[in-house]
């Protein structure tokens, strides 16, 4: 099959993308999907217009109302800034809402089409840098890549597919310009990159391949023009595009122009991240970025080379040292294999392999600003597919069949299983969330309620509850205060008519990644800190390292007031808790959230 015509191989790759992504068509909405629909339909919130990915502006005056009355939790850093420039992806959400409304299957079909488009765009790049069976192997590896499973399955992350598709198309056009001297391809490449950047930050990674190709071409040009090479007539062995010295490095001018315009735009809208525990802006916090980068880079390399399950980085922090260690070993093994592979190649193929290697490494740099996840290596994955194809061909020629078979198994049937398993988890989370929302013990027609969500299970049944209920026709409560997302047992002590203390047993608040989205450990709490809300006061009574251990909540009215509701996560839903008598201690055992339950059932 790998020697079939390129057109048939491309069609087969598109079919693989369809088959792998097809299970997502039965999924519902999930997490930020509700937030986006909420904003598009005109509900009040920090996101509006083409800024559907502007979660927090960095302006305390703008953010504080959403902390005062919810749903942003009390520990949110008021200087938090999470502003992502994705106007094209925002516009596509408006289009989906106008065309499909509350029918998620059609939204997911839209995402699936982008997944196919992404694979097709990657095929254009691979066809420029590989041929024959090498192209077939690289394309199939790219089509099976599990990096697309979240963007394909989660509508809110479709932006990565949109950005990546135009980014890969931009590089393919750039290669056509350089290799075939097709002048019209250069401006179209710049335009495609600009459109990709309007889709999302994922497009930034492709700049690494532009730089890599230019550096490899420059090296080859200088080698071919050296006195020794000229005496042998070696210029004829140069890379396809080494025709004009003036353009060997000047080819990066269009890329630079687009990136400068992008940076200026980002600065004008105050884009980027600040104050979050999972996003590190290298310009805002360079030391923190440099400390986190090596471990994250190793984990990402492990995913690209051996499909290490780095998506557990969030759910299982205890697995991070193993992921980093295995990733480092993968990197060492890759260096050995690639040195042997390169030695057996001619000048042209060695240049293309070097473009894949260097481009992949450079493309990983922008994604080091956040936690490792398979979806972060979508664009770098085109280079990894090329690298793996070269290595596999070398192993075949050296008759290293066991090692070759292991790599094929990991990157085809094993990865296909990862697609199926992860999509089953996503489907389970969506379905369990819908059930939990329906069972929430809260009136649909009361707009005056002051809701204290004492324990919330996890992210889908915490922050998003009032938004999901509003989309179902419920009135927004006057207040919705999330007190804890900690996946631990809690202890509640009623201290007065209008106050109680809440303690995390055998743990602390803000230990999970979802809690740290809105506050970084670099902004610690201290005993005695107070957070004034609109009608309630949160006091930090004890801390463990940087995070609260025990807090006191004081309302401006009795806990028994008609408009006060205490909710705790129990038996798969948020359920009413009757205020205990003053002086009473109530143990609140940990109850599994929908994400943990869905993951367990899929195992």
């Amino acid at each position: 099959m790998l020697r079939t015509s390129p057109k048939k191989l491309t069609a087969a790759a598109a079919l693989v993308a369809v088959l792998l992504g097809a299970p997502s068509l039965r999924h519902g909405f999930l997490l930020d999907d509700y937030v986006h629909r909420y904003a598009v339909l005109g509900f009040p919130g920090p996101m509006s217009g083409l800024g559907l990915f502007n979660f927090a502006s960095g302006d305390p005056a703008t953010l504080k109302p959403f902390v005062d009355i919810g749903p942003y939790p009390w520990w949110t850093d008021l200087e938090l800034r999470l502003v992502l420039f994705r106007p094209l992806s925002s516009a596509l959400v408006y289009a989906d809402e106008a065309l499909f409304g509350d029918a998620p299957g059609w939204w997911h079909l839209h995402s699936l089409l982008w997944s196919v488009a992404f694979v097709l765009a990657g095929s254009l790049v691979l066809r420029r840098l590989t041929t024959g069976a090498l192209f077939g192997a690289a394309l199939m590896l790219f089509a099976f890549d599990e990096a697309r499973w979240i963007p394909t399955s989660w509508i809110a992350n479709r932006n990565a597919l949109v950005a990546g598709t135009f980014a890969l198309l931009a590089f393919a056009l750039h290669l056509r310009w350089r290799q075939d001297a097709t002048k019209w391809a250069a401006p179209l490449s710049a335009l495609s990159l600009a459109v990709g950047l309007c889709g999302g930050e994922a497009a930034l990674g492709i700049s690494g391949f532009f730089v890599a190709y230019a550096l490899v071409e420059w090296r080859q040009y200088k080698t071919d023009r050296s006195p020794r090479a000229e005496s042998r007539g070696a210029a004829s062995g140069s890379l396809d595009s080494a025709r004009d010295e003036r353009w060997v490095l000047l080819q990066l001018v269009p890329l630079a122009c687009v990136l400068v315009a992008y940076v200026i735009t980002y600065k004008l809208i105050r884009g980027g991240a600040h104050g979050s525990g999972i996003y590190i802006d290298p310009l805002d916090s360079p030391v923190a970025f440099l400390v986190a980068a090596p471990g994250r880079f190793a984990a990402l390399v492990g995913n690209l080379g051996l499909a290490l399950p780095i998506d557990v980085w969030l759910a299982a922090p205890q697995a991070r040292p193993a992921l980093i260690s295995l990733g480092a070993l993968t990197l060492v093994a890759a260096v050995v294999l690639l040195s042997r592979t390169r030695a057996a190649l001619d000048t042209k193929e060695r240049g293309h392999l070097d473009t894949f290697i260097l481009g992949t490494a450079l493309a990983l740099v922008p994604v080091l600003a956040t936690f490792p996840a398979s979806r972060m290596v979508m664009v770098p994955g085109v280079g990894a597919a090329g690298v793996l194809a070269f290595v596999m061909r070398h192993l075949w020629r050296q008759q290293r069949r066991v090692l070759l078979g292991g790599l094929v198994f990991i990157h085809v049937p094993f990865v296909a299983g990862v697609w199926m398993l992860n999509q089953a988890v996503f489907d389970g989370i969506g379905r369990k969330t819908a059930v939990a929302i329906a069972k929430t013990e809260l009136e649909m027609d009361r707009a005056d309620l002051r809701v204290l969500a004492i324990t919330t299970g996890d992210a889908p049944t915490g922050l998003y509850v009032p938004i999901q209920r509003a989309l179902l026709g419920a009135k927004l409560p006057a207040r919705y205060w999330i007190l804890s997302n900690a996946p631990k047992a809690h202890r509640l002590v009623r201290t007065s008519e209008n106050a109680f203390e809440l303690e995390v047993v055998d743990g602390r608040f803000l230990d999970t990644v979802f809690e740290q989205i809105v506050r970084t450990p670099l902004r610690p709490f201290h005993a005695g800190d107070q957070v004034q809300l609109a009608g309630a006061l949160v006091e930090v009574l004890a801390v463990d390292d940087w995070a609260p251990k025990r807090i006191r909540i004081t309302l401006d009215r009795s806990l028994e007031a008609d408009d006060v509701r205490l909710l705790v996560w129990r038996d798969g839903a948020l359920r009413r808790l009757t205020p205990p008598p003053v002086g009473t201690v109530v143990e609140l055992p940990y109850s599994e959230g929908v994400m943990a339950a869905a993951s367990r059932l899929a195992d």
Side-chain angles (χ1 to χ4, degrees):
M1 176 181 176
L2 298 183
R3 295 185 180 277
T4 307
S5 71
K7 289 184 178 180
K8 290 182 179 179
L9 283 169
T10 302
L15 179 60
V16 168
V18 170
L19 294 176
L20 291 174
S24 68
L25 298 177
R26 68 169 185 263
H27 295 178
F29 298 113
L30 185 68
L31 299 172
D32 290 349
D33 299 341
Y34 292 106
V35 177
H36 290 159
R37 292 199 64 217
Y38 180 88
V40 168
L41 293 173
F43 287 95
M47 293 158 280
S48 61
L50 296 181
L52 295 184
F53 295 86
N54 299 347
F55 300 99
S57 66
D59 177 16
T62 302
L63 185 57
K64 193 172 190 312
F66 299 104
V67 178
D68 280 349
I69 66 173
Y72 282 34
W74 60 270
W75 61 85
T76 302
D77 185 348
L78 293 181
E79 295 183 358
L80 175 71
R81 185 174 77 250
L82 288 175
V83 177
L84 306 175
F85 181 68
R86 300 172 180 175
L88 174 57
S89 295
S90 295
L92 292 176
V93 175
Y94 280 89
D96 278 350
E97 182 63 42
L99 293 172
F100 312 131
D102 61 357
W106 292 103
W107 294 60
H108 283 289
L109 177 60
H110 182 183
S111 294
L112 181 57
L113 293 176
W114 278 106
S115 185
V116 174
F118 180 80
V119 171
L120 294 177
S123 73
L124 297 177
V125 171
L126 294 172
R127 193 169 176 180
R128 285 278 165 183
L129 298 175
T130 58
T131 58
L134 192 65
F135 167 70
L139 182 56
M140 286 300 110
L141 291 168
F142 185 64
F144 274 93
D145 188 5
E146 85 274 21
R148 298 193 320 281
W149 84 261
I150 292 182
T152 303
S153 302
W154 186 22
I155 299 164
N157 196 213
R158 180 200 297 155
N159 62 85
L161 292 169
V162 176
T165 297
F166 284 104
L168 292 175
L169 179 60
F171 187 51
L173 287 166
H174 179 78
L175 292 175
R176 177 161 185 173
W177 169 42
R178 298 303 298 157
Q179 294 177 351
D180 298 347
T182 306
K183 294 183 178 179
W184 56 261
L188 282 184
S189 172
L191 177 62
S192 184
L193 179 58
V195 174
L197 290 169
C198 288
E201 295 75 12
L204 282 171
I206 203 64
S207 59
F209 290 97
F210 280 80
V211 172
Y213 189 81
L215 291 177
V216 170
E217 188 176 345
W218 172 256
R219 181 195 64 190
Q220 189 60 50
Y221 182 88
K222 298 301 289 183
T223 299
D224 290 347
R225 296 314 189 267
S226 67
R228 181 181 299 180
E230 288 183 353
S231 68
R232 298 195 311 263
S236 60
S238 62
L239 286 176
D240 298 341
S241 55
R243 297 187 178 117
D244 190 337
E245 182 179 9
R246 293 172 301 173
W247 285 102
V248 173
L249 291 181
L250 287 178
Q251 64 180 276
L252 296 177
V253 170
L255 169 70
C257 291
V258 173
L259 293 182
V260 167
Y262 178 74
V263 170
I264 291 173
T265 302
Y266 229 75
K267 290 297 182 182
L268 289 176
I269 67 169
R270 297 193 71 234
H274 170 79
S276 174
I278 63 170
Y279 297 102
I280 306 175
D281 189 329
L283 299 179
D284 183 66
S285 306
V287 175
F289 177 81
L290 291 175
V291 169
R296 291 178 172 185
F297 184 85
L300 293 170
V301 170
N303 176 257
L304 287 170
L306 291 179
L308 294 183
I310 57 173
D311 289 322
V312 305
W313 187 278
L314 284 181
Q318 66 275 14
R320 295 175 188 176
L323 292 173
I324 293 172
S325 300
L326 291 172
L329 290 175
T330 303
L331 185 58
V332 172
V335 170
V336 174
L337 277 173
L338 288 172
S339 63
R340 296 174 179 175
T341 301
R342 287 185 77 255
L345 300 177
D346 60 27
T347 300
K348 180 178 178 180
E349 283 200 332
R350 188 179 302 127
H352 291 164
L353 175 58
D354 288 348
T355 298
F356 283 135
I357 296 172
L358 181 58
T360 301
L362 293 176
L364 289 175
V365 174
V367 304
L368 299 179
T370 188
F371 58 89
S374 60
R375 61 193 172 118
M376 299 300 168
V377 297
M378 272 183 44
V379 170
V382 73
V387 170
L388 284 166
F390 272 105
V391 169
M392 288 179 177
R393 188 182 68 176
H394 176 74
L395 293 174
W396 175 264
R397 290 174 174 176
Q398 297 299 312
Q399 297 187 355
R400 302 288 297 276
R401 304 299 166 81
V402 174
L403 185 54
L404 173 61
L407 286 175
V408 172
F409 173 79
I410 288 172
H411 289 281
V412 181
F414 176 77
V415 162
V418 170
W419 272 86
M420 299 301 104
L421 175 63
N422 287 332
Q423 290 184 98
V425 170
F426 252 46
D427 187 47
I429 293 173
R431 293 178 186 277
K432 288 180 177 295
T433 300
V435 172
I437 296 302
K439 292 182 177 180
T440 300
E441 295 180 356
L442 203 60
E443 298 92 327
M444 297 281 286
D445 59 350
R446 293 280 301 267
D448 62 328
L449 296 179
R450 294 168 180 253
V451 180
L452 290 88
I454 298 171
T455 58
T456 56
D458 47 30
T461 49
L463 176 66
Y464 302 96
V465 168
I467 293 172
Q468 291 168 285
R469 285 168 52 84
L471 292 172
L472 294 173
K475 293 183 178 179
L476 288 170
R479 308 285 188 272
Y480 184 82
W481 295 313
I482 296 173
L483 299 187
S484 179
N485 278 148
K488 301 282 186 179
H490 292 68
R491 181 175 297 117
L492 184 151
V493 181
R494 177 82 178 269
T495 56
S496 70
E497 180 184 0
N498 64 334
F500 62 91
E501 295 180 3
L502 185 65
E503 179 182 3
V504 180
V505 180
D506 296 327
R508 62 184 182 181
F509 296 86
L510 315 189
D511 241 3
T512 67
V513 172
F514 289 108
E515 294 168 285
Q516 293 178 22
I517 289 176
V518 296
R519 192 178 193 95
T520 172
L522 300 177
R523 298 291 294 270
F525 278 102
H526 304 89
D529 285 350
Q530 297 184 350
V531 179
Q532 181 65 59
L533 307 176
L537 176 68
V538 179
E539 300 172 83
V540 177
L541 302 180
V543 297
D544 178 2
D545 192 13
W546 73 279
K549 168 74 175 176
R550 181 164 53 92
I551 62 174
R552 179 190 297 121
I553 301 91
T554 305
L555 272 64
D556 60 0
R557 64 199 63 198
S558 171
L559 297 183
E560 282 83 9
D562 176 65
D563 60 352
V564 173
R565 298 288 183 273
L566 305 183
L567 298 180
V568 295
W569 178 259
R570 185 176 64 244
D571 299 329
L574 286 170
R575 305 191 184 273
R576 290 277 295 273
L577 175 69
T578 302
V582 175
T584 302
V585 177
V586 179
E587 301 292 341
L588 303 173
Y590 168 67
S591 183
E592 190 176 56
V594 298
M595 297 182 73
S599 299
R600 177 175 50 79
L601 291 174
D603 288 341

